[in-house]
Amino acid sequence: MKSKIIPALAFTAAALNATAQDNQCAVEYSMYKEFVNVEAYSEAREPFWKVFKDCPKFSKNIYIDGSKIYRSMISKAGEDDDALVNAYVDTLGIIYRQRIANYGEPASVWSRYGMEIMKYRRSDTANLEGFHTIAKAIAANPTDPDIASVAAYTQAACALLANGTIDNEQAFDALEPVVKSVYRNRESKSESYGETADKVFSVMRRTFSQSSATPTFDELFQRKRTLPSSITEVAALTKTMDVFSADGNDLYAQCAERLYKNNPSAQAAASIARYNRHAKKYDNAAKYYDEAIKMETDQKLKSDYLYEAATVANNQNKHREAVALAKKSAAANPKNGAPSLLIAAIYMVNANNFGDDDFAHRTVYWVAADYASKAKTADMPLTEEANKLIDKCKKQFPKKEDAFMHSIKSGDAVTVKTYDTETTTARF
């Protein structure tokens, strides 16, 4: 009988101790929580650390509150307190690591910490450190990475590539598997997942298309990847190469031909068009873009194909056709600013071909500036490029005295004849 009673008493004592500890944790938790609730973060720090140490599994809010406390400390630090700020950033890391240990969610937590490193760390290597930290979020589930983590990771990589911290090959090795994973999984995901992926990859495509460094992304795909046997993998690889603006290599051509042979879809036709565009075989490119546009039902993709077809027409000096295609592209996806920017550039180059005198020529720059403004309003990443075009246009605006001779004053609506009839506002 005694041997049965003693274990029972031990179990009861353990239960009582656990209850007592929970009660003590609740008291200490409520103590610091009152300070957090009124944003008295300095006063909350000491009781917070006691809970953090003694009651790590009492509530996930411990870690949420801890990050609030130290973000507040960072915001209050002086401009010269670099060491202090960096210590606070390190402390955020301690809080996040214990949160992961007790509550999981490594993808979202590492992603948040990586972004905070880039935002707060006062160091020349902050962006690189943040990038490597977010890589842990991707590694948490590499075959199906969290889309918010993908957004943060690719944003960091593009920034590092743009400023020369990493090169094309490093960007390729880090991002190509991630992009491909997103395309493999996209069909089974929510609409918001697809929308986020579209936004992220649009920025990536723009960044990569501007990289002229070697090895090029075309060379990297040709050297490091081969034509898959699965048509699903072929499609994912083709879309990935599109994101990297790597549509001029033999592997891309093989993928495009395989897709088109298996299923002559809009995507397959567009892939062949892109390869021909890169090869400057513009007649072939135009033919396949026309086919892709006719078959595509997704308005965002149709907008992309229309815009790319417009660039082909522009390269063929078919400017009227290029403008018409660009306008259709903008109408298909109002958030796509690239078509409006293309129209602005075409009007600027051809301004002297419209109208009968210098004043008429110069009014075209009002219209060009309007389209550049539309571009940055629709698509924020185009702001810098759009502003450069607007500044060039302003230097060519009609003079106030010339406008007066045409009975036009500032603020008047003006009709300008280009390839179409455009309406703009007089300004000087």
Side-chain angles (χ1 to χ4, degrees):
M1 180 67 70
K2 184 178 179 181
S3 63
K4 293 181 180 179
I5 293 174
I6 290 174
L9 289 173
F11 177 80
T12 302
L16 289 171
N17 286 336
T19 302
Q21 184 180 21
D22 286 345
N23 289 339
Q24 183 61 30
C25 286
V27 171
E28 293 175 356
Y29 176 79
S30 62
M31 186 181 301
Y32 93 76
K33 190 68 173 176
E34 289 182 10
F35 289 121
V36 170
N37 289 340
V38 295
E39 299 183 3
Y41 296 120
S42 295
E43 291 79 0
R45 272 201 298 175
E46 186 174 342
F48 160 77
W49 281 109
K50 186 166 181 58
V51 176
F52 182 88
K53 179 180 178 182
D54 298 340
C55 314
K57 296 184 179 181
F58 182 75
S59 171
K60 187 164 70 173
N61 285 332
I62 294 169
Y63 306 101
I64 296 171
D65 293 337
S67 62
K68 286 181 183 177
I69 291 169
Y70 279 89
R71 284 197 297 270
S72 174
M73 297 296 103
I74 290 170
S75 68
K76 292 178 180 177
E79 292 183 3
D80 298 325
D81 291 334
D82 292 358
L84 180 62
V85 167
N86 289 336
Y88 287 156
V89 173
D90 291 339
T91 302
L92 282 171
I94 293 171
I95 293 169
Y96 287 136
R97 287 182 182 90
Q98 182 159 300
R99 173 177 171 171
I100 292 171
N102 289 306
Y103 288 97
E105 302 176 340
S108 61
V109 177
W110 282 126
S111 181
R112 174 180 288 276
Y113 185 44
M115 289 187 287
E116 289 180 346
I117 288 172
M118 291 187 288
K119 183 177 181 180
Y120 299 125
R121 177 79 78 191
R122 296 184 183 180
S123 164
D124 292 339
T125 60
N127 285 342
L128 189 59
E129 181 188 352
F131 173 66
H132 288 310
T133 300
I134 300 171
K136 296 179 182 180
I138 301 297
N141 191 0
T143 60
D144 188 10
D146 171 69
I147 194 63
S149 299
V150 170
Y153 189 56
T154 56
Q155 180 182 353
C158 286
L160 292 170
L161 180 66
N163 65 26
T165 303
I166 63 174
D167 59 24
N168 281 3
E169 187 158 8
Q170 290 169 309
F172 176 91
D173 290 341
L175 298 181
E176 191 270 348
V178 178
V179 176
K180 199 184 297 178
S181 291
V182 171
Y183 278 122
R184 286 194 191 106
N185 298 309
R186 181 170 176 170
E187 292 301 319
S188 63
K189 298 294 185 179
S190 65
E191 185 177 346
S192 63
Y193 179 100
E195 289 176 350
T196 300
D198 286 342
K199 290 177 183 177
V200 170
F201 293 159
S202 176
V203 173
M204 289 177 64
R205 188 178 295 111
R206 197 169 291 144
T207 301
F208 296 150
S209 67
Q210 295 170 351
S211 176
S212 57
T214 54
T216 67
F217 291 116
D218 274 313
E219 292 168 342
L220 288 166
F221 275 100
Q222 188 71 27
R223 171 156 54 93
K224 297 193 174 194
R225 299 292 181 263
T226 57
L227 182 68
S229 57
S230 162
I231 194 65
T232 302
E233 286 297 302
V234 171
L237 178 59
T238 305
K239 291 176 181 177
T240 301
M241 285 191 279
D242 283 334
V243 172
F244 280 82
S245 291
D247 52 16
N249 62 82
D250 290 343
L251 177 62
Y252 188 90
Q254 291 169 17
C255 286
E257 290 170 2
R258 175 84 184 280
L259 286 173
Y260 194 82
K261 183 177 180 180
N262 179 77
N263 178 20
S265 63
Q267 182 205 335
S271 296
I272 293 177
R274 284 168 175 158
Y275 178 78
N276 279 283
R277 182 180 65 159
H278 189 97
K280 298 183 179 180
K281 297 177 180 178
Y282 296 127
D283 288 342
N284 283 342
K287 171 188 171 183
Y288 282 103
Y289 274 126
D290 184 59
E291 190 173 329
I293 291 163
K294 288 176 180 176
M295 287 192 289
E296 188 56 67
T297 57
D298 182 287
Q299 289 302 297
K300 289 182 180 178
L301 289 175
K302 180 171 283 192
S303 175
D304 290 341
Y305 302 158
L306 283 161
Y307 168 70
E308 292 168 22
T311 65
V312 168
N314 188 49
N315 285 327
Q316 293 175 300
N317 293 319
K318 297 178 179 179
H319 303 302
R320 180 187 293 275
E321 182 180 337
V323 169
L325 287 166
K327 287 185 176 182
K328 289 179 181 178
S329 174
N333 179 14
K335 293 183 179 180
N336 185 0
S340 294
L341 205 61
L342 177 62
I343 294 170
I346 291 172
Y347 280 168
M348 289 172 67
V349 169
N350 292 280
N352 289 343
N353 295 329
F354 305 121
D356 299 324
D357 56 24
D358 184 66
F359 179 76
H361 301 333
R362 290 181 179 273
T363 62
V364 177
Y365 288 95
W366 281 336
V367 178
D370 292 342
Y371 277 100
S373 294
K374 288 179 184 178
K376 67 177 182 178
T377 299
D379 200 344
M380 191 175 296
L382 292 176
T383 297
E384 183 178 354
E385 189 176 353
N387 283 340
K388 288 179 181 178
L389 287 187
I390 291 169
D391 288 341
K392 290 180 180 179
C393 286
K394 285 180 178 178
K395 294 176 182 178
Q396 301 297 328
F397 280 178
K399 304 298 183 189
K400 192 172 184 179
E401 53 272 22
D402 294 334
F404 176 78
M405 297 299 295
H406 289 78
S407 302
I408 295 173
K409 60 182 182 299
S410 183
D412 283 353
V414 180
T415 299
V416 178
K417 186 65 177 175
T418 56
Y419 300 116
D420 295 312
T421 299
E422 306 274 8
T423 301
T424 187
T425 301
R427 64 266 199 197
F428 308 103

